[in-house]
Amino acid sequence: MSSPGRQVGNRRLPPLPASKKPAALSPRGGPGKFSGGQMLPHSVPGRVESSVARHHGTYSSERLRPSDMIITGQTPPTNNGLSRVGKPLSSGHVFPDSSETFMSDHFMQEQIRNFLELNPAFLEDYVLHHVNEDQVEKWLNCLRIQKTNRLPVRSPKQIQRVPSINARSPTQITPETNGSRNKSKYWEKAKFQDRRKLISDLTQELHQQDNPNKLLWQLTECIAWRINSDHQQLYLVTANGLELFQYHEDSSNDDLPEKTWKIGKGGTVAGHVAHTLHTIVTTDIKADAHPDGIGELTRSGISSVLSLPVFDVVEDLSGSNPQNCKGNLLGVLEFYRYVEHPGFTSFEETIANSFLVWGGVALHFAEIYISMTRQRKLNDFLLAVTRSIFTDIVSMDGVIMKIMNFAQKLVSADRASLFLVDSKTKELYARIFDIGNGLGNQMMDEQDQKEIRFPMAKGVAGHVASTGEILSIPDAYQDQRFNRDVDLQTGYKTKTILCMPIYNRGSIIGVVQMVNKKMGCFTKIDEEAFEMFAVYCGLALHHAKLYQKIRRSEQKNRVALEVLSYHNQCTDEEFTYLRKMALPEPIPDIARFDFSPWGLDESAKPLYVLCMFKDLFNIKEFDYDELCRFILTVRKNYRKVPYHNWTHAFSVAHSVYTIIKTCKEMVFTPLECLALFVACLCHDLDHRGKNNSFMINSASPLAAVYSTSTMEHHHFNMTITILQHEGHNIFKHLTSDEYKQVLGDIRNSILATDLALFFGNKDKLKKITTKGDFNWSNPEHRLCIRALTMTACDLAANTKPWHMQQQTVKVIFDEFYQQGDEEKAHGRNPIPMMDRAKAHELPANQVSFIVGICLPCYDLLQQYIPNARPMLEGARTNLQNWSAIVAKQKAEEKDEIAEQENEQKKKEDKEEDKEKEKPESVATNKTDVTELPKEILSLDSDED
């Protein structure tokens, strides 16, 4: 329904007031007729029409049904379903096609309007029962739009009042004019629904704002519209809480107030309300309590004022504690009416207070929503900072640039500067000190970067770095700590400054300075957000410094590695000497387990290695020059320690050469043979003469790098390092897959020389053997055999002939005793095997070692590689010899103990004989007093 005029086209209305009275209705309910004899268009047979009062605002208590209502002498509008050309209706009635029977639409609307003005009760009844809520809401929205579009009234002449629901008018339905309590309740319900809708709309609008002051202004406009005030103002409390300033809709939070009014008595109405915290409704604007009236609007023709205080978050909404119902004062709302209109009523004050209460609650939750939104944006911002800074730490300057760019965006500053603290010189320094005008993402060239330094006691940044105080300066030129020289040199004017320290581990490491906020001054919110951002800045700068130190250390390590690589590589003279030596024919009896590597000259061992290499592999596939360099460099990287030296490596390589060479069947593949031989040659590279336990207990850097199998991992790493030297890669002829396989087998083989891993490997292989599940095609089984072979070759010195065994054990224990002496020097107790004071236990230690490790190893190995049986027999022979020595030591110890016992017994017998002789000698030495000389006796008597 668009208008009441259109609605009546489909409904019968009571007769309009006319000079002639309508004819009486037929008692039978026939068609009613007017005195003029015209038939009613919509008369219903058999129904008696109700009488309608024609005086103002009243009609019979009997409610008329729409079907009973007719309009006399009127033709319905063209949109009521009847044809203007006289076409028949569905009821069968036909209207004449004469223009005399039709009236103009304009006259029709005027008649209806007059009728509604004279019958307001009918309009109320019709709207309440026949118009839906949506249509009423549309009408109310139209009224709101008209009210909103009305310009603010500044003088009485410009006042255009919107009809108020509370103002007395002929169209207002009140209990006095209506006389019907039920119908007034309908209007009260409509008022309540109107307020509820306004509050709902206001709440939705509040959640869309991010400015608390604008939210209060929207609440002020809403209340002003509802109570139909002519003008309204919002006063807010200043930061010091002692003054009020007027809010303007086009102002921001950062704008400084142009004029303020004191809070207290004897000033303005708003100041008095802010002081007493009570609402004022008065027509005496310049009362004694507030002689200044309403400030600038005192002479503008305002006659009535409604002033209300506004509070922030309500702590106790339940009302259980009335003292906590009011929070801190936010401001004062003032509403005005001019002299042409009546003053504010208590009812309007109640409406304003109710809107203020619910609006305050909505404002509270809106502020919570704004705070959560602001925090979410800050979290997203910090996450972006973390991702950007910590995922791309290239240099300190790059991190500084990112920090300054992010800081500039965070607080909407025009320029940003970051100074680092030099704790040694007590200075601030920076190479990138001013980012602005969109140049933040551009890095300066290294040549253009000039470091700026100044004392910490100078300027705003120096003050913050010295005291750790956060400075927010609204006017830089009014602060004595500000240095104006920079502005004079650059022509840039500094207005506002926000300067904050950056901490790391409790110490100030830098200062960030933001200059000139783009909109107003830096706020408390900016300080809180930037304080959180400064934490991430400290972490980023700390990690950037660490990264810079690491990069510098890496460069130093590369230089040191180059120097060490140069000195750890074979010399050109050594290479030339070995290269010119002709390879001899296969040396007879070299593939024997009793071959003595200790009888060879040091210069001959590299040549023997080449011979074994040539005998095992097709040497034509290898680069002979690189093979020579590799062998000589491996020899050079063995330290001169008593046992784990180049000679031991040669012995182990010879042992695996003998195993491979004497196998009647191909046990290992060519690549496995190559990996085993090279692994044996390199398995103790850079050995320091100390075992893994010593490295861990002494907190060696190697132990920090490799937590398990410390020395074995280091040996393999040294092997890879030598292979990476130029001219040393003996595997370059292999394919990629073969290269990976060989390096993997070398690694596993070298790690297998750790005796701590031997026992697990032995038990695993023994379990497979017991079950009979061993399969040469199983890679895991082959790995166990290779690991067992490496252990057997590493311990091959215990399988050598007896004279070699004795010599080798002596050298081994010399190395052990050196480690024991060093452990004692550091206050640790060495194990008995490494204690020089227990050197007599050496044979017993050897017996335990051969029985516990060597024999199980060789016994298991000869089951899969039968040609390795001589190693088992050699170990057994040496065990017999060591056992004989131990038996001899025990016999000698037994004889020595018996001899000591005999000597002890003889000594005890002698002591017993002396004890027996001692009483007789004492008795013979006693002297009788009577036998003393008379002179002595006389002297004694005289003294008495």
Side-chain angles (χ1 to χ4, degrees), residues 311-328 357 361:
F311 303 96
D312 63 356
V313 180
V314 179
E315 299 293 340
D316 188 4
L317 296 178
S318 63
S320 59
N321 190 356
Q323 296 180 356
N324 295 333
C325 290
K326 295 181 180 179
N328 298 321
V357 170
V361 174

Side-chain angles (χ1 to χ4, degrees), residues 13 44 48 133 178 285 336 355 422 444 507-508 523 544 579 588 590 607 641 644 850 897 911:
L13 300 178
V44 180
V48 180
E133 185 178 355
N178 185 21
I285 299 177
Y336 313 110
F355 269 91
D422 189 344
M444 294 182 292
S507 301
I508 298 177
T523 62
R579 183 68 178 81
I590 189 175
L607 188 62
V641 293
H644 292 92
I850 294 175
I897 293 173
E911 290 179 356

Side-chain angles (χ1 to χ4, degrees), residues 191-485:
K191 298 175 188 177
F192 174 77
Q193 292 177 349
D194 189 20
R195 288 199 296 269
R196 182 179 62 182
K197 182 64 177 176
L198 285 175
I199 293 174
S200 176
D201 294 342
L202 175 63
T203 305
Q204 294 178 1
E205 293 178 1
L206 290 177
H207 284 82
Q208 297 174 0
Q209 288 287 347
D210 58 354
N211 189 331
N213 296 340
K214 288 185 178 180
L215 299 179
L216 280 175
W217 179 248
Q218 287 185 357
L219 178 61
T220 305
E221 289 184 327
C222 180
I223 297 175
W225 183 89
R226 188 62 186 83
I227 65 175
N228 199 24
S229 68
D230 294 323
H231 191 64
Q232 65 276 345
Q233 281 189 353
L234 170 62
Y235 294 94
L236 298 176
V237 181
T238 57
N240 57 15
L242 301 177
E243 295 175 322
L244 296 175
F245 67 93
Q246 184 179 353
Y247 172 78
H248 298 285
E249 188 175 4
D250 55 350
S251 64
S252 64
N253 291 343
D254 303 326
D255 294 338
L256 296 177
E258 298 178 356
K259 187 176 181 180
T260 58
W261 292 270
K262 292 184 179 180
I263 296 176
K265 296 181 178 180
T268 61
V269 176
H272 182 77
V273 172
H275 175 70
T276 60
L277 304 180
H278 293 295
T279 302
I280 290 181
V281 181
T282 181
T283 56
D284 187 5
I285 299 177
K286 291 187 176 182
D288 294 338
H290 39 82
D292 293 340
I294 54 177
E296 297 177 351
L297 298 178
T298 303
R299 298 181 180 179
S300 60
I302 294 175
S303 61
S304 179
V305 178
L306 171 59
S307 184
L308 306 95
V310 184
F311 303 96
D312 63 356
V313 180
V314 179
E315 299 293 340
D316 188 4
L317 296 178
S318 63
S320 59
N321 190 356
Q323 296 180 356
N324 295 333
C325 290
K326 295 181 180 179
N328 298 321
L329 180 69
L330 293 179
V332 175
L333 306 185
E334 280 193 350
F335 305 95
Y336 313 110
R337 281 184 182 169
Y338 292 108
V339 293
E340 290 88 350
H341 307 120
F344 293 102
T345 64
S346 59
F347 179 69
E348 291 167 337
E349 178 186 353
T350 303
I351 292 176
N353 282 322
S354 62
F355 269 91
L356 195 60
V357 170
W358 289 106
V361 174
L363 178 64
H364 167 56
F365 287 103
E367 289 180 349
I368 295 177
Y369 174 78
I370 293 171
S371 177
M372 293 175 62
T373 303
R374 187 186 301 115
Q375 186 63 39
R376 186 184 71 242
K377 291 181 179 179
L378 179 60
N379 294 340
D380 295 340
F381 176 82
L382 295 176
L383 181 60
V385 170
T386 305
R387 288 176 178 173
S388 177
I389 293 178
F390 290 94
T391 57
D392 189 19
I393 300 179
V394 178
S395 64
M396 176 65 76
D397 292 343
V399 173
I400 291 175
M401 286 289 268
K402 289 182 178 180
I403 289 175
M404 295 168 68
N405 284 324
F406 279 113
Q408 186 181 2
K409 295 177 182 178
L410 178 63
V411 296
S412 300
D414 185 54
R415 292 179 181 268
S417 303
L418 189 146
F419 302 94
L420 298 179
V421 175
D422 189 344
S423 57
K424 295 181 180 179
T425 60
K426 301 296 181 181
E427 292 178 332
L428 293 177
Y429 68 94
R431 288 192 299 173
I432 306 173
F433 66 95
D434 194 4
I435 297 298
N437 298 329
L439 301 178
N441 294 326
Q442 299 180 6
M443 293 293 295
M444 294 182 292
D445 297 334
E446 293 292 334
Q447 297 178 355
D448 297 335
Q449 292 181 350
K450 296 180 180 180
E451 189 173 82
I452 296 177
R453 284 181 173 267
F454 56 90
M456 290 178 59
K458 184 178 180 181
V460 176
H463 176 80
V464 173
S466 302
T467 62
E469 179 184 358
I470 300 174
L471 290 182
S472 180
I473 303 175
D475 190 352
Y477 282 84
Q478 298 298 326
D479 196 295
Q480 298 179 355
R481 294 162 294 193
F482 175 66
N483 186 9
R484 305 183 183 184
D485 296 339

Side-chain angles (χ1 to χ4, degrees), residues 719-860:
T719 303
I720 298 300
T721 302
I722 294 174
L723 287 171
Q724 290 176 346
H725 290 333
E726 185 178 358
H728 290 72
N729 189 4
I730 61 175
F731 302 134
K732 68 179 184 180
H733 68 285
L734 301 176
T735 64
S736 177
D737 295 337
E738 292 174 344
Y739 189 83
K740 292 180 181 178
Q741 180 183 347
V742 169
L743 290 184
D745 291 345
I746 290 174
R747 179 182 181 276
N748 294 330
S749 300
I750 293 178
L751 293 180
T753 58
D754 185 4
L755 288 180
L757 304 179
F758 162 73
F759 299 100
N761 183 54
K762 180 198 69 173
D763 295 340
K764 183 178 180 180
L765 189 57
K766 193 172 182 180
K767 186 181 295 184
I768 295 174
T769 304
T770 304
K771 293 181 179 180
D773 296 336
F774 185 83
N775 186 358
W776 283 103
S777 300
N778 191 326
E780 187 175 354
H781 296 177
R782 297 183 67 86
L783 177 62
C784 293
I785 294 297
R786 291 197 302 272
L788 189 66
T789 302
M790 285 297 300
T791 304
C793 295
D794 192 22
L795 306 178
N798 293 283
T799 66
K800 299 296 181 180
W802 175 241
H803 65 281
M804 298 181 194
Q805 167 70 11
Q806 286 181 307
Q807 181 183 358
T808 304
V809 169
K810 182 180 179 181
V811 175
I812 291 173
F813 274 83
D814 284 342
E815 187 173 290
F816 286 171
Y817 294 151
Q818 289 180 9
Q819 176 177 329
D821 295 341
E822 192 167 344
E823 287 179 335
K824 288 182 179 180
H826 288 84
R828 296 193 298 268
N829 294 324
I831 61 176
M833 184 183 295
M834 297 183 180
D835 192 352
R836 194 183 297 274
K838 299 180 180 180
H840 61 280
E841 298 179 0
L842 188 151
N845 291 332
Q846 275 300 106
V847 170
S848 300
F849 184 78
I850 294 175
V851 171
I853 297 178
C854 296
L855 291 182
C857 176
Y858 296 124
D859 183 39
L860 193 58

